[in-house]
Amino acid sequence: MRLCTAAILLAAVALAAPPATAHHAFGAEFDPNLPVQLKGPIVRIEWVNPHSWFHIEHTNADGSKTVWMVEAGTPNTLYRRGITRNTVPIGTVVVIDGYQGKDRAMRANGRRMTFTNGETLFMGSSGTGAPRDGADPTER
């Protein structure tokens, strides 16, 4: 009887647990041979786990505009670097250097965000397999 009760209790706890979210390495989704530089205003920010996303309206060479999703580090990682929800208000014009997704969609992994005053922020996660491109201030 106790074994049955314990099994039911264990099953209830397992079913009540929140689902785990997968975390991926840079190389699983992004191509180090496809660097991109995007310039334009930030139109949306998703401050979510496992990665934050900055949406930027980039003006293409032909004058058309495309909204790109740019992956950044986790909210906690960004916060520890001094980047908060209020650091980059919607509408802020920035330049983002990063790497396009392997699927060639309008999605990139951001490495460096540069503001019009020249200030830069490191957007990426360290140790995820991203290229050593000098953007990560902890690289030696």
Side-chain angles (χ1 to χ4, degrees), residues 13-58:
V13 169
L15 290 173
T21 55
H23 186 87
H24 60 269
F26 173 93
E29 291 190 44
F30 301 99
D31 190 335
N33 298 312
L34 290 176
V36 294
Q37 186 175 71
L38 307 167
K39 180 178 181 180
I42 298 293
V43 295
R44 180 177 173 201
I45 300 171
E46 295 179 74
W47 200 260
V48 296
N49 279 313
H51 294 279
S52 297
W53 291 89
F54 290 81
H55 299 253
I56 181 171
E57 184 181 63
H58 175 72

Side-chain angles (χ1 to χ4, degrees), residues 2 7 16 24 28 32-33 39 45 47 49-51 62 73 75 77 83 90 111 117 124 132 134 136 139:
R2 285 186 179 187
H24 60 269
N33 298 312
K39 180 178 181 180
I45 300 171
W47 200 260
N49 279 313
H51 294 279
D62 66 2
T77 299
I83 304 169
I90 301 298
R111 298 291 289 161
N117 67 2
R132 291 173 114 13
D136 184 347
E139 286 179 357

